[in-house]
PDB file of all heavy atoms in Angstrom:
ATOM      1  N   LEU A 141     -29.531 -22.538  13.283  1.00 95.00           N
ATOM      2  CA  LEU A 141     -29.901 -21.326  14.041  1.00 95.00           C
ATOM      3  C   LEU A 141     -29.588 -20.036  13.266  1.00 95.00           C
ATOM      4  O   LEU A 141     -29.759 -18.934  13.780  1.00 95.00           O
ATOM      5  CB  LEU A 141     -29.159 -21.287  15.389  1.00 95.00           C
ATOM      6  CG  LEU A 141     -29.521 -22.365  16.426  1.00 95.00           C
ATOM      7  CD1 LEU A 141     -28.635 -22.257  17.656  1.00 95.00           C
ATOM      8  CD2 LEU A 141     -31.000 -22.308  16.832  1.00 95.00           C
ATOM      9  N   HIS A 142     -29.072 -20.194  12.056  1.00 96.00           N
ATOM     10  CA  HIS A 142     -28.712 -19.061  11.187  1.00 96.00           C
ATOM     11  C   HIS A 142     -27.669 -18.147  11.838  1.00 96.00           C
ATOM     12  O   HIS A 142     -27.762 -16.927  11.739  1.00 96.00           O
ATOM     13  CB  HIS A 142     -29.952 -18.241  10.791  1.00 96.00           C
ATOM     14  CG  HIS A 142     -31.055 -19.073  10.249  1.00 96.00           C
ATOM     15  ND1 HIS A 142     -30.957 -19.753   9.048  1.00 96.00           N
ATOM     16  CD2 HIS A 142     -32.262 -19.407  10.774  1.00 96.00           C
ATOM     17  CE1 HIS A 142     -32.079 -20.453   8.840  1.00 96.00           C
ATOM     18  NE2 HIS A 142     -32.891 -20.274   9.873  1.00 96.00           N
ATOM     19  N   VAL A 143     -26.711 -18.741  12.529  1.00 98.00           N
ATOM     20  CA  VAL A 143     -25.669 -17.907  13.163  1.00 98.00           C
ATOM     21  C   VAL A 143     -24.265 -18.278  12.619  1.00 98.00           C
ATOM     22  O   VAL A 143     -23.271 -17.922  13.206  1.00 98.00           O
ATOM     23  CB  VAL A 143     -25.683 -18.012  14.710  1.00 98.00           C
ATOM     24  CG1 VAL A 143     -26.979 -17.406  15.261  1.00 98.00           C
ATOM     25  CG2 VAL A 143     -25.501 -19.433  15.191  1.00 98.00           C
ATOM     26  N   GLU A 144     -24.240 -18.984  11.476  1.00 98.00           N
ATOM     27  CA  GLU A 144     -22.926 -19.450  10.974  1.00 98.00           C
ATOM     28  C   GLU A 144     -22.001 -18.290  10.613  1.00 98.00           C
ATOM     29  O   GLU A 144     -20.783 -18.441  10.642  1.00 98.00           O
ATOM     30  CB  GLU A 144     -23.082 -20.433   9.813  1.00 98.00           C
ATOM     31  CG  GLU A 144     -23.673 -19.889   8.536  1.00 98.00           C
ATOM     32  CD  GLU A 144     -25.192 -19.970   8.475  1.00 98.00           C
ATOM     33  OE1 GLU A 144     -25.867 -19.820   9.522  1.00 98.00           O
ATOM     34  OE2 GLU A 144     -25.715 -20.171   7.355  1.00 98.00           O
ATOM     35  N   GLY A 145     -22.592 -17.128  10.318  1.00 98.00           N
ATOM     36  CA  GLY A 145     -21.775 -15.942   9.977  1.00 98.00           C
ATOM     37  C   GLY A 145     -20.928 -15.451  11.159  1.00 98.00           C
ATOM     38  O   GLY A 145     -19.984 -14.691  10.977  1.00 98.00           O
ATOM     39  N   TYR A 146     -21.255 -15.897  12.392  1.00 98.00           N
ATOM     40  CA  TYR A 146     -20.501 -15.496  13.579  1.00 98.00           C
ATOM     41  C   TYR A 146     -19.261 -16.381  13.778  1.00 98.00           C
ATOM     42  O   TYR A 146     -18.443 -16.119  14.639  1.00 98.00           O
ATOM     43  CB  TYR A 146     -21.352 -15.581  14.841  1.00 98.00           C
ATOM     44  CG  TYR A 146     -22.382 -14.494  14.959  1.00 98.00           C
ATOM     45  CD1 TYR A 146     -23.655 -14.633  14.425  1.00 98.00           C
ATOM     46  CD2 TYR A 146     -22.083 -13.301  15.615  1.00 98.00           C
ATOM     47  CE1 TYR A 146     -24.604 -13.627  14.535  1.00 98.00           C
ATOM     48  CE2 TYR A 146     -23.005 -12.286  15.743  1.00 98.00           C
ATOM     49  CZ  TYR A 146     -24.274 -12.461  15.193  1.00 98.00           C
ATOM     50  OH  TYR A 146     -25.210 -11.446  15.313  1.00 98.00           O
ATOM     51  N   PHE A 147     -19.211 -17.493  13.027  1.00 98.00           N
ATOM     52  CA  PHE A 147     -18.120 -18.465  13.225  1.00 98.00           C
ATOM     53  C   PHE A 147     -17.088 -18.353  12.109  1.00 98.00           C
ATOM     54  O   PHE A 147     -17.394 -18.666  10.949  1.00 98.00           O
ATOM     55  CB  PHE A 147     -18.685 -19.901  13.339  1.00 98.00           C
ATOM     56  CG  PHE A 147     -19.331 -20.165  14.667  1.00 98.00           C
ATOM     57  CD1 PHE A 147     -20.584 -19.654  14.972  1.00 98.00           C
ATOM     58  CD2 PHE A 147     -18.647 -20.893  15.633  1.00 98.00           C
ATOM     59  CE1 PHE A 147     -21.176 -19.858  16.223  1.00 98.00           C
ATOM     60  CE2 PHE A 147     -19.234 -21.127  16.871  1.00 98.00           C
ATOM     61  CZ  PHE A 147     -20.502 -20.616  17.159  1.00 98.00           C
ATOM     62  N   GLU A 148     -15.907 -17.888  12.474  1.00 98.00           N
ATOM     63  CA  GLU A 148     -14.827 -17.809  11.470  1.00 98.00           C
ATOM     64  C   GLU A 148     -14.403 -19.228  11.090  1.00 98.00           C
ATOM     65  O   GLU A 148     -14.130 -19.520   9.952  1.00 98.00           O
ATOM     66  CB  GLU A 148     -13.650 -17.025  12.086  1.00 98.00           C
ATOM     67  CG  GLU A 148     -12.590 -16.677  11.117  1.00 98.00           C
ATOM     68  CD  GLU A 148     -11.459 -15.900  11.806  1.00 98.00           C
ATOM     69  OE1 GLU A 148     -11.728 -14.909  12.499  1.00 98.00           O
ATOM     70  OE2 GLU A 148     -10.315 -16.334  11.661  1.00 98.00           O
ATOM     71  N   SER A 149     -14.347 -20.104  12.089  1.00 98.00           N
ATOM     72  CA  SER A 149     -13.951 -21.496  11.806  1.00 98.00           C
ATOM     73  C   SER A 149     -14.369 -22.411  12.965  1.00 98.00           C
ATOM     74  O   SER A 149     -14.590 -21.945  14.087  1.00 98.00           O
ATOM     75  CB  SER A 149     -12.413 -21.582  11.656  1.00 98.00           C
ATOM     76  OG  SER A 149     -11.810 -21.001  12.795  1.00 98.00           O
ATOM     77  N   ILE A 150     -14.495 -23.701  12.622  1.00 98.00           N
ATOM     78  CA  ILE A 150     -14.682 -24.739  13.644  1.00 98.00           C
ATOM     79  C   ILE A 150     -13.678 -25.812  13.310  1.00 98.00           C
ATOM     80  O   ILE A 150     -13.750 -26.426  12.230  1.00 98.00           O
ATOM     81  CB  ILE A 150     -16.109 -25.348  13.602  1.00 98.00           C
ATOM     82  CG1 ILE A 150     -17.154 -24.241  13.890  1.00 98.00           C
ATOM     83  CG2 ILE A 150     -16.241 -26.499  14.595  1.00 98.00           C
ATOM     84  CD1 ILE A 150     -18.608 -24.725  13.817  1.00 98.00           C
ATOM     85  N   GLU A 151     -12.700 -26.026  14.188  1.00 98.00           N
ATOM     86  CA  GLU A 151     -11.639 -26.990  13.884  1.00 98.00           C
ATOM     87  C   GLU A 151     -11.667 -28.146  14.892  1.00 98.00           C
ATOM     88  O   GLU A 151     -11.776 -27.903  16.100  1.00 98.00           O
ATOM     89  CB  GLU A 151     -10.288 -26.301  13.968  1.00 98.00           C
ATOM     90  CG  GLU A 151     -10.064 -25.267  12.886  1.00 98.00           C
ATOM     91  CD  GLU A 151      -8.677 -24.666  12.990  1.00 98.00           C
ATOM     92  OE1 GLU A 151      -7.707 -25.329  12.614  1.00 98.00           O
ATOM     93  OE2 GLU A 151      -8.579 -23.539  13.522  1.00 98.00           O
ATOM     94  N   GLN A 152     -11.539 -29.334  14.351  1.00 98.00           N
ATOM     95  CA  GLN A 152     -11.461 -30.496  15.227  1.00 98.00           C
ATOM     96  C   GLN A 152      -9.988 -30.756  15.548  1.00 98.00           C
ATOM     97  O   GLN A 152      -9.282 -31.404  14.788  1.00 98.00           O
ATOM     98  CB  GLN A 152     -12.082 -31.719  14.552  1.00 98.00           C
ATOM     99  CG  GLN A 152     -12.269 -32.872  15.550  1.00 98.00           C
ATOM    100  CD  GLN A 152     -12.118 -34.218  14.902  1.00 98.00           C
ATOM    101  OE1 GLN A 152     -12.575 -34.442  13.795  1.00 98.00           O
ATOM    102  NE2 GLN A 152     -11.477 -35.123  15.615  1.00 98.00           N
ATOM    103  N   VAL A 153      -9.539 -30.181  16.667  1.00 98.00           N
ATOM    104  CA  VAL A 153      -8.100 -30.266  17.036  1.00 98.00           C
ATOM    105  C   VAL A 153      -7.973 -30.413  18.553  1.00 98.00           C
ATOM    106  O   VAL A 153      -8.911 -30.178  19.297  1.00 98.00           O
ATOM    107  CB  VAL A 153      -7.346 -28.979  16.614  1.00 98.00           C
ATOM    108  CG1 VAL A 153      -7.246 -28.846  15.109  1.00 98.00           C
ATOM    109  CG2 VAL A 153      -7.993 -27.725  17.220  1.00 98.00           C
ATOM    110  N   ASP A 154      -6.758 -30.773  18.964  1.00 98.00           N
ATOM    111  CA  ASP A 154      -6.426 -30.851  20.396  1.00 98.00           C
ATOM    112  C   ASP A 154      -5.885 -29.469  20.810  1.00 98.00           C
ATOM    113  O   ASP A 154      -4.779 -29.100  20.418  1.00 98.00           O
ATOM    114  CB  ASP A 154      -5.388 -31.935  20.627  1.00 98.00           C
ATOM    115  CG  ASP A 154      -4.982 -32.046  22.081  1.00 98.00           C
ATOM    116  OD1 ASP A 154      -5.372 -31.176  22.879  1.00 98.00           O
ATOM    117  OD2 ASP A 154      -4.252 -32.998  22.422  1.00 98.00           O
ATOM    118  N   ALA A 155      -6.672 -28.724  21.595  1.00 98.00           N
ATOM    119  CA  ALA A 155      -6.283 -27.376  21.970  1.00 98.00           C
ATOM    120  C   ALA A 155      -5.061 -27.346  22.887  1.00 98.00           C
ATOM    121  O   ALA A 155      -4.449 -26.306  23.065  1.00 98.00           O
ATOM    122  CB  ALA A 155      -7.469 -26.678  22.641  1.00 98.00           C
ATOM    123  N   SER A 156      -4.704 -28.510  23.458  1.00 96.00           N
ATOM    124  CA  SER A 156      -3.547 -28.495  24.344  1.00 96.00           C
ATOM    125  C   SER A 156      -2.211 -28.636  23.582  1.00 96.00           C
ATOM    126  O   SER A 156      -1.153 -28.539  24.192  1.00 96.00           O
ATOM    127  CB  SER A 156      -3.666 -29.596  25.429  1.00 96.00           C
ATOM    128  OG  SER A 156      -3.717 -30.864  24.823  1.00 96.00           O
ATOM    129  N   THR A 157      -2.302 -28.851  22.253  1.00 96.00           N
ATOM    130  CA  THR A 157      -1.082 -28.920  21.450  1.00 96.00           C
ATOM    131  C   THR A 157      -1.188 -28.037  20.184  1.00 96.00           C
ATOM    132  O   THR A 157      -0.265 -27.979  19.418  1.00 96.00           O
ATOM    133  CB  THR A 157      -0.800 -30.388  20.991  1.00 96.00           C
ATOM    134  OG1 THR A 157      -1.951 -30.867  20.319  1.00 96.00           O
ATOM    135  CG2 THR A 157      -0.472 -31.295  22.166  1.00 96.00           C
TER     136      THR A 157
END
Side-chain angles (χ1 to χ4, degrees):
L141 294 176
H142 309 293
V143 294
E144 67 270 35
Y146 286 90
F147 284 76
E148 190 180 309
S149 54
I150 298 178
E151 293 182 75
Q152 191 213 320
V153 292
D154 179 352
S156 62
T157 55

